[in-house]
């Protein structure tokens, strides 16, 4: 194959020049653009578009689409002003209830990595793991259920910009059961986290067809795509695309979306931030404030403060 020169324009006005082969794809061009991009980005976050604004599929051959393109970053990190919400943070219940839902052992589908993510989240918290116990109710304790699922209780979270304020997070993975039994454990939920795997279009499709219907209306929701470590190669077109996620967010009405890898740790801190930010923003609404006051009063008497479904 012979080489050709293509030009990719950035939104800041720079023109990046690349030498490509006739059989190179848009996916491979994205990799080159990501390396040359003025700021740190990943190829997955870049969209390559034609001069008339059409987004090009990653499997398309570059030279069949032209020799001059533009590149846009479709996803950037969010800067959160935690310091502007000190008062709300101080008024939150001491224990917060996070419910993770998504495909797993109980659905008969390939797991999306909820348990692995839960371990990573626990490891990133301030408290030391104090060992396994049958009740899993001590600070920083864990429990293994008969079906192999796990639970963590009382994991301390220090709010970064409010060092004197600590919340306790309880993580657990529920046993298999019908939907109505799972939903029976949602009573004290502070935020729902719907999880799908970036390498599974089926798990992604089930967000809209199944999991969004299990969340309780009015409670904030965060969408998480796992296994982001698989998004670094030239095969990214076979994975769930950003444009697909954005369309899903509009369809189901979820504002927060984070990608992560429990394997590498990439994005796990952002998942924690997104979950707690969603709780914080909800607490500043009238409905959210009322619901959290109810949670504060109950103090999670049943001990099942964070379920992973």
């Amino acid at each position: 194959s012979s080489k050709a020169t293509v030009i990719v324009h950035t939104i800041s006005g720079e023109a990046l020049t690349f030498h490509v082969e006739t059989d190179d794809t848009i996916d491979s061009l994205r990799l080159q653009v990501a390396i040359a991009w003025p700021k740190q980005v990943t190829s997955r976050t870049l969209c390559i578009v034609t001069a008339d604004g059409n987004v090009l599929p990653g499997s398309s051959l570059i030279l069949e689409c032209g020799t001059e393109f533009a590149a846009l970053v479709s996803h950037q990190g969010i800067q959160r002003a935690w310091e502007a919400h000190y008062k709300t943070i101080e008024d939150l219940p001491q224990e917060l209830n996070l419910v993770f839902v998504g495909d797993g052992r109980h659905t008969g589908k390939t797991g999306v990595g909820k348990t692995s993510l839960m371990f990573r989240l626990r490891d990133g918290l301030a408290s030391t793991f104090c060992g396994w116990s049958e009740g899993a109710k001590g600070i920083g304790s864990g429990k293994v259920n008969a079906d192999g699922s796990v639970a963590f209780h009382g994991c301390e979270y220090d709010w970064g910009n409010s060092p004197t304020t600590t919340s306790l997070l309880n993580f657990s993975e529920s046993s298999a059961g019908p939907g109505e039994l799972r939903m029976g454990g949602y009573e004290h939920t502070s935020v729902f986290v719907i999880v799908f795997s970036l390498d599974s279009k089926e798990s992604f499709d089930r967000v809209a067809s199944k999991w969004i219907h299990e969340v309780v209306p009015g409670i904030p929701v965060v969408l998480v795509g796992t296994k982001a470590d698989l998004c670094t190669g030239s095969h990214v077109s076979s994975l769930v695309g950003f444009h697909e996620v954005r369309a899903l967010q509009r369809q189901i009405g979820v504002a927060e979306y984070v990608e992560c890898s429990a394997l590498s740790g990439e994005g796990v801190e952002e998942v924690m931030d997104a979950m707690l930010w969603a709780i914080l923003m909800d607490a500043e609404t009238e409905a959210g404030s009322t619901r959290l006051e109810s949670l504060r009063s109950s103090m999670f008497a049943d001990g099942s403060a964070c379920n992973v479904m």
Side-chain angles (χ1 to χ4, degrees):
S1 58
S2 59
K3 284 187 176 291
T5 300
V6 300
I7 297 174
V8 178
H9 299 276
T10 71
I11 195 169
S12 61
E14 295 180 75
L16 306 175
T17 301
F18 303 96
H19 300 292
V20 302
E21 305 283 349
T22 54
D23 56 354
D24 282 346
T25 65
I26 293 296
D27 274 344
S28 65
L29 180 60
R30 279 212 299 252
L31 286 171
Q32 295 183 63
V33 174
I35 294 171
W37 199 258
K39 296 182 180 181
Q40 184 176 5
V41 296
T42 65
S43 61
R44 178 170 166 73
T45 65
L46 288 171
C47 284
I48 304 296
V49 301
T50 60
D52 55 4
N54 291 324
V55 178
L56 295 171
S59 58
S60 301
L61 294 177
I62 298 171
L63 296 180
E64 288 185 357
C65 302
T67 58
E68 196 160 351
F69 307 94
L72 305 172
V73 178
S74 60
H75 179 77
Q76 296 179 331
I78 299 173
Q79 299 297 318
R80 306 183 194 277
W82 300 96
E83 64 279 0
H85 305 278
Y86 284 155
K87 183 62 170 64
T88 305
I89 291 173
E90 292 172 354
D91 289 342
L92 289 173
Q94 185 181 23
E95 295 191 50
L96 297 174
N97 183 13
L98 299 87
V99 175
F100 289 63
V101 299
D103 287 352
R105 64 171 67 85
H106 61 284
T107 65
K109 306 292 182 182
T110 301
V112 294
K114 299 186 301 298
T115 305
S116 297
L117 175 58
M118 181 174 61
F119 270 88
R120 273 285 189 173
L121 289 167
R122 185 212 70 186
D123 290 345
L125 293 173
S127 58
T128 301
F129 182 56
C130 298
W132 300 94
S133 68
E134 185 170 334
K137 297 208 175 171
I139 298 298
S141 65
K143 174 185 178 183
V144 180
N145 298 312
D147 64 353
S149 61
V150 298
F152 301 109
H153 190 276
C155 299
E156 296 175 273
Y157 175 81
D158 289 336
W159 294 84
N161 291 307
S162 183
T164 61
T165 303
T166 300
S167 294
L168 296 178
L169 308 181
N170 306 298
F171 297 93
S172 67
E173 183 180 12
S174 74
S175 59
E180 59 269 19
L181 293 183
R182 292 194 303 271
M183 295 170 72
Y186 294 171
E187 181 181 0
H188 300 305
T189 302
S190 303
V191 61
F192 283 99
V193 184
I194 303 180
V195 183
F196 69 92
S197 175
L198 291 166
D199 73 337
S200 170
K201 298 271 185 143
E202 182 180 14
S203 73
F204 174 74
D205 291 340
R206 284 165 59 81
V207 171
S209 67
K210 178 177 177 60
W211 298 115
I212 191 60
H213 302 295
E214 288 207 5
V215 307
V216 178
I219 294 179
V221 177
V222 173
L223 186 63
V224 174
T226 58
K227 305 185 183 181
D229 51 284
L230 300 177
C231 300
T232 57
S234 60
H235 68 295
V236 292
S237 294
S238 65
L239 306 176
V240 177
F242 265 116
H243 64 288
E244 295 176 278
V245 178
R246 292 300 186 226
L248 176 64
Q249 286 180 267
R250 290 191 294 271
Q251 177 186 346
I252 65 177
V254 173
E256 291 277 0
Y257 170 62
V258 186
E259 294 185 351
C260 70
S261 167
L263 179 65
S264 69
E266 175 190 357
V268 172
E269 184 176 346
E270 286 75 12
V271 172
M272 182 68 75
D273 284 350
M275 294 187 299
L276 294 175
W277 184 259
I279 294 172
L280 195 56
M281 294 299 97
D282 179 60
E284 296 184 348
T285 67
E286 183 176 353
S289 177
T290 300
R291 183 170 56 254
L292 289 174
E293 179 59 38
S294 174
L295 291 175
R296 183 164 33 244
S297 300
S298 70
M299 291 301 294
F300 302 100
D302 63 0
S304 59
C306 178
N307 300 315
V308 178
M309 300 298 185

